[in-house]
Amino acid sequence: MTSPVPATRSGMPAWASLGIIFGLVGAASILLFGPIGVSGTYPRLIGEAARAVDPAYAASNPYLVKMGSLFRAETFLVLGLVIGGFLGARRDRVPAPKVELPHPGHETNAKRYTEAFLAGFLILFGARLAGGCTSGLIISGMTQLSIAGFVFAAGVFATGIGTAKFMQAIRMGGN
């Protein structure tokens, strides 16, 4: 069960005021750094590791050369997501979320983490295969009022909700 959404002094729900702040920060980052996304950070991390282990291979790999250095705004965005989430949870004294197991005894934490990792890897692989970034298209695209960003966001959420409902129906039918 979720807690009621707190309102700000203006009466605006906290999520709305935070959404406005997110939009303004997103617009400022696009103005300062250009469109941003996070999926490019992972191949850049691989590129840095390859340059450290085998610089000749890294220099001969066109994809790693194209992706460039790890030290870009997107890298700090990824670090900020992790650090900000941690600091926010510590500030508000939010305990680690409880892992919910729909079928206790049939599923383990290891299985759920493995499935989450594989799903994240597939999303990242697909984004890099397409030469884009899902978060970049949604966040940067919508901030720039791109029709593609809005269409893609609607598709992502519709597909995600549909997939979740489908998986829930399979799991409920399995009992």
Side-chain angles (χ1 to χ4, degrees), residues 42 45-46 108-126:
Y42 303 103
L45 178 65
I46 298 297
T108 63
N109 285 348
K111 182 180 177 188
R112 292 179 59 85
Y113 288 130
T114 301
E115 289 175 350
F117 177 81
L118 290 174
F121 177 80
L122 288 174
I123 290 172
L124 178 64
F125 183 76

Side-chain angles (χ1 to χ4, degrees), residues 71-142:
F71 300 102
R72 299 172 52 130
E74 290 91 348
T75 302
F76 295 103
L77 175 63
V78 171
L79 291 174
L81 290 170
V82 174
I83 294 170
F86 174 76
L87 292 177
R90 298 294 296 173
R91 186 200 67 191
D92 295 342
R93 300 178 202 266
V94 176
K98 181 181 174 189
V99 176
E100 296 180 15
L101 299 176
H103 300 279
H106 297 142
E107 295 185 5
T108 63
N109 285 348
K111 182 180 177 188
R112 292 179 59 85
Y113 288 130
T114 301
E115 289 175 350
F117 177 81
L118 290 174
F121 177 80
L122 288 174
I123 290 172
L124 178 64
F125 183 76
R128 299 317 314 160
L129 187 64
C133 174
T134 53
S135 61
L137 183 53
I138 292 174
I139 297 170
S140 295
M142 289 179 67

Side-chain angles (χ1 to χ4, degrees), residues 1-93:
M1 177 167 223
T2 59
S3 60
V5 177
T8 60
R9 281 188 226 162
S10 67
M12 180 184 297
W15 62 264
S17 59
L18 292 173
I20 291 170
I21 292 170
F22 181 78
L24 292 173
V25 171
S29 70
I30 289 171
L31 289 172
L32 293 172
F33 304 108
I36 58 172
V38 297
S39 69
T41 301
Y42 303 103
R44 287 187 194 100
L45 178 65
I46 298 297
E48 287 297 322
R51 282 186 277 280
V53 173
D54 189 352
Y57 169 76
S60 68
N61 185 312
Y63 183 71
L64 295 180
V65 171
K66 175 185 160 193
M67 293 309 295
S69 171
L70 183 63
F71 300 102
R72 299 172 52 130
E74 290 91 348
T75 302
F76 295 103
L77 175 63
V78 171
L79 291 174
L81 290 170
V82 174
I83 294 170
F86 174 76
L87 292 177
R90 298 294 296 173
R91 186 200 67 191
D92 295 342
R93 300 178 202 266

